[in-house]
Amino acid sequence: MAGPPVAVVNACTRDGQGSSPTAVVIDDATLTDDDRHAIACRTGTSHTAFIDASTADTLTVRFFTSAGELTNCGHGIIAAQAVLLHRSGAAEQHGRQRTGGRTFATTREPLLASAH
C-alpha cells in the first residue's frame, strides 16, 4: 500500500533545539484503523496524527503509534494544527477539533521567534 502523503513536523522545539518529530496525515476517511496503524509503524516517528477534515465545522484528529491508538497526544495536536495552517496559506485560522472524545476551539497562527 503506497498510502497517503505524510508530513513530518518537528513539534515542540525550543530555540531550534530538540523536538518531537510527528507524522501528520490528512485522512480521507477511507483508511481503516489497520491502515493507520501500518502507516504509524512506517513513519519512523513515535506518533502519527490523522486529520479527518471531511466536516467543515469540526476536524477529528486521531493519534496512532506502532503499538496502537492513543487517546490524546499534545505534540500531535500541535503538529496537526501546524500542517493545517501551512496548507491554508492563511496568517491565522480559528476552528474546532475533536480529539479523545472532547471538542475544543483551536487557533492556528504562525510561531513568532522570541526576542532574547
Side-chain angles (χ1 to χ4, degrees):
M1 170 177 123
V6 176
V8 177
V9 175
N10 288 323
C12 301
T13 61
R14 182 178 296 232
D15 297 325
Q17 300 296 312
S19 74
S20 180
T22 303
V24 179
V25 175
I26 304 298
D27 190 341
D28 64 3
T30 63
L31 297 174
T32 66
D33 284 357
D34 287 341
D35 294 335
R36 292 179 186 99
H37 181 252
I39 292 167
C41 288
R42 285 195 313 264
T43 64
T45 62
S46 62
H47 41 280
T48 303
F50 291 86
I51 303 169
D52 176 359
S54 63
T55 58
D57 57 338
T58 303
L59 302 168
T60 298
V61 182
R62 295 174 66 192
F63 309 100
F64 284 77
T65 69
S66 60
E69 186 170 8
L70 299 173
T71 304
N72 204 347
C73 177
H75 293 131
I77 290 172
I78 291 167
Q81 295 299 320
V83 166
L84 290 167
L85 182 64
H86 179 75
R87 285 172 46 108
S88 76
E92 180 176 303
Q93 287 184 311
H94 299 275
R96 298 186 59 73
Q97 177 176 316
R98 181 162 182 75
T99 298
R102 294 179 40 215
T103 301
F104 51 93
T106 59
T107 299
R108 299 185 270 281
E109 57 188 30
L111 176 68
L112 300 175
S114 59
H116 295 284

